[in-house]
Amino acid sequence: MLALADPLFIDQYAGCFVPHNTLMDIERYPHHYCLATKFIDDKLLTMMNDMDGLKQVVLLTDGMDTRPYRLSWPTSTIMFDVSPAKVFTEAAHKLEDVGAKIPKSCLFLHVPLESSDIQQSLRSKGFNGNRSSIWALQGLPLMTLTCFEDILSVASSLAMKGCVFFGELPAWLAETEIGIKSWMDKLFMGNGFRVSLISYNELAKNVGREQAPGDCETILFVAEQLRFSDDEMETWRREFQRIEEAGDEEGFEEL
């Protein structure tokens, strides 16, 4: 693999997934994937370092994501990787063979993409909808728009108000006849998220690189959760119920 004098990011473990003689011509024109990876890496760490206490991050991946091993995660970070089970298992063995390790102060848990109920699987692994979380999407195999809508629905139900969901989507998912931005707004707002599109050209300029030629096959986005999570709503419901019951008891005592 070709090494760059000034790489956008360093992935010391990616080599275990590809043949040793693989060359990547990205010195002048960084691939969109590289720009997106740097953007997601930087945003993950910036946001995680701004969070207090227990930190939850959901990584929606192809099963070969090296971020849990190569990024400097803050103490008390819990990472949930949602990805195809077979790919994840094979990748984990390869990463173990090259000495990749999760930081001792962090926890890494896998949720099979094939789960009949991903939301419940995340909960059973310890995800807490009353705590802040960050959701990052890159590489997750999305065969249809419905697949992504299901993932978006899970994030909408589990992520607290104010949480952020970002990453890249296959461009072919978009209904381009109404415009990508309009389509994204409708899709995300329908699940309680306000979404913004990120320009690959701007990312390239920000890191002093030229954009890769040709059409981009992915859409880079950042979305903010505007709704309360299901757990937050349940907490409020219980609190209101407690207040009502306390008020009833006070009224009974006055009688």
Side-chain angles (χ1 to χ4, degrees), residues 241-255:
Q241 183 179 6
R242 185 191 66 79
I243 293 173
E244 283 186 351
E245 291 175 350
D248 290 344
E249 290 177 0
E250 290 177 1
F252 181 76
E253 289 176 357
E254 289 177 0
L255 292 175

Side-chain angles (χ1 to χ4, degrees), residues 97-137:
D97 289 343
V98 297
K101 296 183 182 299
I102 304 298
K104 291 183 179 180
S105 60
C106 301
L107 185 61
F108 183 40
L109 303 166
H110 181 246
V111 174
L113 180 62
E114 301 85 354
S115 299
S116 59
D117 190 337
I118 292 177
Q119 181 174 326
Q120 183 54 42
S121 295
L122 281 164
R123 290 181 184 279
S124 67
K125 293 282 186 175
F127 186 92
N128 187 340
N130 277 313
R131 289 185 176 274
S132 294
S133 58
I134 300 172
W135 298 65
L137 168 67

Side-chain angles (χ1 to χ4, degrees), residues 221-232:
F221 69 92
V222 175
E224 179 186 358
Q225 167 73 297
L226 303 179
R227 297 176 180 171
F228 292 108
S229 69
D230 290 353
D231 284 351
E232 286 180 293

Side-chain angles (χ1 to χ4, degrees), residues 49-249:
N49 284 316
D50 288 341
M51 292 171 62
D52 296 324
L54 186 68
K55 303 165 181 66
Q56 300 181 120
V57 57
V58 179
L59 302 171
L60 302 155
T61 79
D62 58 4
M64 297 184 289
D65 194 352
T66 60
R67 288 187 176 93
Y69 304 90
R70 64 178 174 80
L71 295 186
S72 299
W73 297 100
T75 299
S76 301
T77 296
I78 301 180
M79 293 168 276
F80 301 89
D81 182 295
V82 179
S83 62
K86 183 178 179 180
V87 177
F88 177 86
T89 300
E90 293 177 355
H93 288 317
K94 291 180 180 179
L95 287 163
E96 183 180 0
D97 289 343
V98 297
K101 296 183 182 299
I102 304 298
K104 291 183 179 180
S105 60
C106 301
L107 185 61
F108 183 40
L109 303 166
H110 181 246
V111 174
L113 180 62
E114 301 85 354
S115 299
S116 59
D117 190 337
I118 292 177
Q119 181 174 326
Q120 183 54 42
S121 295
L122 281 164
R123 290 181 184 279
S124 67
K125 293 282 186 175
F127 186 92
N128 187 340
N130 277 313
R131 289 185 176 274
S132 294
S133 58
I134 300 172
W135 298 65
L137 168 67
Q138 189 178 36
L140 187 75
L142 297 168
M143 299 298 103
T144 64
L145 176 58
T146 300
C147 292
F148 178 65
E149 289 175 333
D150 290 344
I151 291 295
L152 194 54
S153 176
V154 170
S156 177
S157 296
L158 294 180
M160 286 181 65
K161 184 178 181 180
C163 289
V164 177
F165 181 15
F166 54 90
E168 57 178 358
L169 283 173
W172 59 262
L173 284 179
E175 297 175 1
T176 52
E177 62 269 16
I178 64 172
I180 291 178
K181 183 61 170 69
S182 297
W183 175 78
M184 292 282 284
D185 284 340
K186 180 180 179 181
L187 176 63
F188 277 80
M189 190 58 73
N191 286 277
F193 286 92
R194 179 174 53 223
V195 67
S196 299
L197 302 187
I198 306 299
S199 167
Y200 285 95
N201 284 327
E202 289 300 317
L203 289 181
K205 290 178 182 178
N206 291 341
V207 296
R209 304 294 177 86
E210 296 180 52
Q211 175 61 296
D215 294 333
C216 184
E217 297 181 353
T218 53
I219 303 168
L220 196 60
F221 69 92
V222 175
E224 179 186 358
Q225 167 73 297
L226 303 179
R227 297 176 180 171
F228 292 108
S229 69
D230 290 353
D231 284 351
E232 286 180 293
M233 293 299 293
E234 178 62 18
T235 298
W236 280 108
R237 186 192 67 77
R238 291 178 179 177
E239 181 63 15
F240 287 143
Q241 183 179 6
R242 185 191 66 79
I243 293 173
E244 283 186 351
E245 291 175 350
D248 290 344
E249 290 177 0

